[in-house]
Amino acid sequence: MEFKLSTRRADSVFIVDLAGKITAGDALTALRQTIRDEVAKGHNKILLNLKDVSYVDSSGLGELIMALGTVTQTTCAKCGATVFKDEEGNWDPCPQCESTERKPWGQLKLSNPGRQVTDLLQFTKLYSVFDVHESEEQALASFKSR
Ligand SMILES: [Zn+2]
């Protein structure tokens, strides 16, 4: 099946419906651009619905990890500015307000992974890195509980 991507909204959560194969090429470009656009618009609750995804390869998995990193990037807990690590890997204080309190910017969750995707996530030990839910309803509920 051809890769497809569409977006919709459920209250404050932005849902990205993915379908087909997430493999090197157009699929990754489309996914990356969508995540960047949503983040740029300030949408900080993003659910990737994998219900109709038939196959993810290692580059597709890399793109999912990148999406997670983009949405959950570390920000200042006081003013929301992006904070960075120094050369030794320690967090610098906030460049705007000098605060050392940090929090992830947003949340990204996955729902409805098929057998192949579930196996891939478990095999690569990434299942626990992502917040994976069996159904969209469960995923949406977990956004609300925070
Ligand atoms: Zn700050």
Side-chain angles (χ1 to χ4, degrees):
M1 187 162 63
E2 195 100 348
F3 174 76
K4 277 196 203 129
L5 185 157
S6 56
T7 57
R8 61 198 158 94
R9 186 173 182 162
D11 293 328
S12 60
V13 180
F14 278 75
I15 303 173
V16 182
D17 291 307
L18 299 167
K21 294 179 178 177
I22 305 179
T23 54
D26 294 346
L28 303 192
T29 312
L31 178 56
R32 190 177 311 171
Q33 196 56 50
T34 300
I35 296 293
R36 280 188 190 160
D37 288 350
E38 297 299 331
V39 167
K41 287 181 211 157
H43 300 160
N44 62 358
K45 293 177 185 171
I46 297 177
L47 173 62
L48 299 182
N49 173 21
L50 305 175
K51 187 163 169 267
D52 295 320
V53 171
S54 55
Y55 182 78
V56 176
D57 72 358
S58 58
S59 56
L61 188 60
E63 199 61 44
L64 293 179
I65 294 165
M66 198 179 294
L68 182 67
T70 302
V71 175
T72 64
Q73 61 189 285
T74 303
T75 57
C76 170
K78 284 210 172 122
C79 75
T82 304
V83 291
F84 301 97
K85 284 183 178 172
D86 64 19
E87 283 163 18
E88 275 127 47
N90 301 311
W91 288 102
D92 283 336
C94 173
Q96 292 195 19
C97 73
E98 299 289 312
S99 168
T100 54
E101 286 173 52
R102 294 172 290 270
K103 65 170 186 191
W105 180 77
Q107 303 171 57
L108 181 131
K109 298 172 193 276
L110 307 180
S111 77
N112 303 84
R115 182 67 193 272
Q116 188 268 333
V117 182
T118 302
D119 285 352
L120 181 66
L121 289 171
Q122 283 175 345
F123 180 71
T124 53
K125 309 222 186 302
L126 289 167
Y127 198 89
S128 56
V129 172
F130 289 98
D131 189 6
V132 187
H133 295 268
E134 278 179 31
S135 72
E136 185 176 317
E137 292 70 31
Q138 285 175 14
L140 291 176
S142 77
F143 276 109
K144 284 185 190 131
S145 65
R146 278 179 53 170

